[in-house]
Amino acid sequence: MKTILLFALLVCAIEANRKCWKCIQSDSTEYSNDALTQYNLPLCTNEDAAEFECPDYYDRCFSSNMTVTYNGKSVKVTSRGCTDRMKHYNPVGWTCTWLKSTLAGKGILGACEDQYCEKDLCATKDWFSGAHTLVISSLLIALVAVLYL
């Protein structure tokens, strides 16, 4: 009975590949046309920004927000994609690291912040803590420990 329960808990803990948005946008049409369209990432405001099934081992969605001064105006750039928690693989999409290296020379780059979440298509919502996963994992580990000790 304990083995069946353990197997059921493990199966419930296994997820299919994460689904995230893979897109980029800015609040300036001029900046989008001049600096972003050449990279062939769909704009988040277009229908092209459909959900993207992340490769194996990519377990988090991200939303990276950076401020750029372009032609004297402050522009907000947002990039969305997926990455792995341990950062062993290059992200799919542009995190702050990629934004800074790719957009260098295309305006004065300002502050950038990566936000992560661990639910499908969550990078468009204000839910980036990932605390729910920690709580569920802790409860499952505690349950298995109680059952086997």
Side-chain angles (χ1 to χ4, degrees):
M1 181 63 180
K2 289 181 182 181
T3 305
I4 293 172
L5 184 57
L6 176 62
F7 180 73
L9 288 172
L10 290 175
V11 168
C12 290
I14 296 173
E15 296 183 32
N17 287 10
R18 177 76 53 224
K19 291 181 184 175
C20 299
W21 299 108
K22 181 185 173 191
C23 58
I24 194 164
Q25 71 185 36
S26 81
D27 60 1
S28 165
T29 304
E30 179 184 12
Y31 191 77
S32 292
N33 290 338
D34 291 349
L36 301 181
T37 55
Q38 63 184 324
Y39 298 109
N40 293 326
L41 285 173
L43 297 177
C44 297
T45 54
N46 289 354
E47 292 177 5
D48 296 338
E51 60 188 62
F52 174 78
E53 187 169 313
C54 300
D56 292 340
Y57 308 111
Y58 287 71
D59 54 1
R60 300 193 307 175
C61 297
F62 69 83
S63 180
S64 300
N65 300 296
M66 184 169 74
T67 304
V68 178
T69 302
Y70 184 71
N71 288 342
K73 297 177 186 172
S74 179
V75 176
K76 179 182 174 188
V77 176
T78 301
S79 173
R80 296 186 175 106
C82 51
T83 187
D84 65 300
R85 181 177 299 125
M86 303 304 289
K87 298 183 180 181
H88 290 183
Y89 306 99
N90 288 333
V92 175
W94 291 356
T95 58
C96 286
T97 302
W98 289 86
L99 282 171
K100 288 177 182 178
S101 66
T102 305
L103 297 180
K106 296 184 177 18
I108 300 168
L109 307 183
C112 191
E113 179 185 14
D114 292 323
Q115 295 178 314
Y116 302 95
C117 56
E118 298 174 1
K119 184 177 179 185
D120 286 346
L121 304 175
C122 58
T124 57
K125 300 179 181 171
D126 296 327
W127 193 58
F128 289 101
S129 69
H132 67 286
T133 303
L134 179 62
V135 170
I136 292 170
S137 299
S138 299
L139 290 173
L140 287 174
I141 290 169
L143 181 61
V144 169
V146 166
L147 291 174
Y148 280 94
L149 295 178

